[in-house]
Amino acid sequence: MSSVIIERLHKDFGGHVVLPHFDLHIKEAEFVVILGPSGCGKTTVLRCLAGLERPTAGRIVVGGDVVQDVEAGISVPTQKRGLGLVFQSYALWPHMNVFENIAYPLRVRRLGREAIFRKTIDILDLVGLDGLAERSPAELSGGQQQRVALARALVASPRVLLLDEPLSNLDAQRRDRLRKQLRRIQRELNTTTVYVTHDQVEALTMADRVVVMNKGRIEQNGTPREVFERPANRFVADFLGYENILRGRVVRAGGRLVTVQSDAWGGDLQVESAARPAIGTAVDVAFRAANVQVFEFADGENPLPNTLPANLREVTFLGDTIEYVLARGAQQIVARAPARARVQAEPAGEKRMVSVRPADIVLLDGEQAGNVLELPRRTDTLDRVAARS
């Protein structure tokens, strides 16, 4: 296992800048997930680290060894960086069986026959493929092929393991099983791991640290819980699944409550926050669909904070949950509840009450690229994600 230092990494393709200035330090044995949408530059970072792409500028250090320094003219070839690579496409040799595919890196390194046999058998057992050593790749399922690719990357004890969206070609069930298996293997071997994905569930359930990227830049760098519960800005909140993000302006702040007047909400929203933004500050408020309560319409003043009537527009059955789309004027509010707790009489057009607890709302700075202003005390949704992993 080795640490990784990426400094001032810049990459452009024919004048099109993909990475303007990228810095990242990864500790020994750390599992870091680089998360972001397609085209954000996450795979380019991985390819530069692997030596498959030559950066325009910058420096990369693996385990104390400089493997890339554009200014100094240093560029260590991929095969000499001591890295393990797992691609989205598996990239298995079709004319070799499972054992031969996994053993190939050891043969390239000219290890003895006995050492190759022992190491290959050990890694087959680790990834749960013992008994399949003589099968060809064509006789394996997608999940088994990906485990062969993982075993091949690990068999030579790489200093750092690099994975580029390795689970995206698998169905949901296989993806879930392999996600758990991959995390278990990483913990057993203590291998420094850099994992690239656009899937937030993969990031939250596997990572020690999540790096959220957008347009070649790091938007947020923190633990899964920090990123999930305290998105750094509007982009991160939106990408991490905050279905409701509304504009507003601070009208009152005192104690632990900040009151935000939001035309989109149609009134005031109380937000539980340790921050003290100045009166008049432009803000965004963000809250998840799972934290919106929907109940029968009632006339008169409601004692619950952040409770207003809304018109039910859509009801969608999602299996274990039901999604409600409600309208407050031109603004849509998305709510999600367990299917067993569905609101009675669901036809579209009927009035309902919607409510959000002040503790379930994140306050974002609307004038400073959406910087977070508060840390919500909410763990229930993340705990549900962790329970599924």
Side-chain angles (χ1 to χ4, degrees):
M1 58 182 177
S2 298
S3 62
V4 176
I5 299 172
I6 302 174
E7 295 178 333
R8 307 181 310 278
L9 193 67
H10 179 97
K11 177 63 183 177
D12 65 67
F13 294 94
H16 174 65
V17 178
V18 177
L19 298 173
H21 186 106
F22 187 89
D23 291 281
L24 182 63
H25 291 198
I26 300 170
K27 296 180 291 187
E28 289 186 0
E30 193 175 20
F31 195 127
V32 171
V33 173
I34 302 178
L35 175 69
S38 297
C40 73
K42 57 187 185 294
T43 294
T44 302
V45 171
L46 199 77
R47 288 177 61 83
C48 287
L49 176 55
L52 299 174
E53 202 73 64
R54 188 180 177 90
T56 314
R59 183 171 179 265
I60 301 173
V61 181
V62 177
D65 299 325
V66 178
V67 297
Q68 190 80 59
D69 190 327
V70 177
E71 288 76 8
I74 298 171
S75 183
V76 177
T78 299
Q79 67 273 20
K80 294 184 178 179
R81 295 191 180 195
L83 308 174
L85 304 174
V86 179
F87 300 100
Q88 181 178 340
S89 60
Y90 315 147
L92 303 180
W93 297 106
H95 63 289
M96 296 181 184
N97 63 27
V98 168
F99 185 96
E100 292 165 338
N101 264 283
I102 295 172
Y104 184 76
L106 302 177
R107 291 200 170 109
V108 169
R109 288 165 175 77
R110 300 185 183 280
L111 266 67
R113 194 169 187 173
E114 187 177 330
I116 290 174
F117 180 81
R118 177 175 45 79
K119 283 178 175 287
T120 305
I121 291 298
D122 286 347
I123 206 74
L124 276 165
D125 181 61
L126 182 67
V127 300
L129 290 174
D130 47 318
L132 301 180
E134 295 183 2
R135 289 195 187 180
S136 71
E139 297 174 309
L140 302 177
S141 68
Q144 288 169 335
Q145 289 183 50
Q146 192 58 286
R147 278 185 283 163
V148 174
L150 176 62
R152 183 179 58 189
L154 289 170
V155 72
S157 302
R159 298 196 291 179
V160 180
L161 177 64
L162 309 179
L163 303 105
D164 186 10
E165 306 223 36
L167 308 183
S168 59
N169 288 335
L170 304 177
D171 61 56
Q173 223 173 18
R174 287 193 179 96
R175 194 161 58 239
D176 181 60
R177 283 200 300 267
L178 196 51
R179 190 172 66 231
K180 295 172 184 174
Q181 196 169 38
L182 179 58
R183 188 54 169 136
R184 173 187 59 79
I185 291 168
Q186 191 272 340
R187 283 172 174 159
E188 281 187 31
L189 298 178
N190 273 330
T191 304
T192 306
T193 301
V194 184
Y195 187 109
V196 161
T197 184
H198 64 275
D199 188 313
Q200 62 164 297
V201 174
E202 290 179 15
L204 294 173
T205 55
M206 290 198 294
D208 296 317
R209 189 152 50 100
V210 178
V211 176
V212 184
M213 283 188 68
N214 181 37
K215 297 180 180 179
R217 300 181 186 274
I218 294 177
E219 297 282 351
Q220 188 166 2
N221 183 348
T223 67
R225 188 172 291 275
E226 287 168 351
V227 171
F228 186 87
E229 293 186 342
R230 196 183 182 191
N233 51 48
R234 188 183 181 100
F235 170 82
V236 178
D238 183 51
F239 192 74
L240 265 292
Y242 280 78
E243 296 90 345
N244 304 291
I245 305 177
L246 313 178
R247 296 280 171 143
R249 195 165 291 276
V250 176
V251 295
R252 193 162 49 254
R256 285 198 59 83
L257 289 178
V258 175
T259 303
V260 176
Q261 195 283 321
S262 172
D263 292 337
W265 179 254
D268 289 351
L269 274 166
Q270 291 185 0
V271 181
E272 193 170 311
S273 171
R276 287 294 166 268
I279 304 303
T281 301
V283 294
D284 291 324
V285 290
F287 49 93
R288 293 183 178 277
N291 292 318
V292 180
Q293 295 177 326
V294 181
F295 47 91
E296 297 300 317
F297 174 76
D299 283 317
E301 194 171 328
N302 196 293
L304 293 173
N306 305 334
T307 302
L308 291 171
N311 291 316
L312 188 61
R313 286 279 179 84
E314 297 175 22
V315 180
T316 305
F317 177 67
L318 300 175
D320 58 346
T321 61
I322 290 180
E323 183 176 272
Y324 302 94
V325 177
L326 305 105
R328 287 277 309 158
Q331 178 65 44
Q332 284 192 344
I333 303 296
V334 181
R336 196 171 294 125
R340 65 179 181 277
R342 68 186 182 192
V343 177
Q344 293 180 356
E346 296 169 344
E350 293 200 1
K351 273 192 173 181
R352 293 290 181 269
M353 303 298 289
V354 293
S355 182
V356 190
R357 295 188 309 149
D360 290 331
I361 303 176
V362 180
L363 194 61
L364 304 169
D365 187 342
E367 293 181 341
Q368 300 295 325
N371 295 325
V372 71
L373 291 176
E374 69 98 25
L375 176 61
R377 296 196 304 278
R378 171 183 18 85
T379 61
D380 54 328
T381 309
L382 183 57
D383 289 339
R384 288 197 295 272
V385 172
R388 291 200 301 267
S389 66

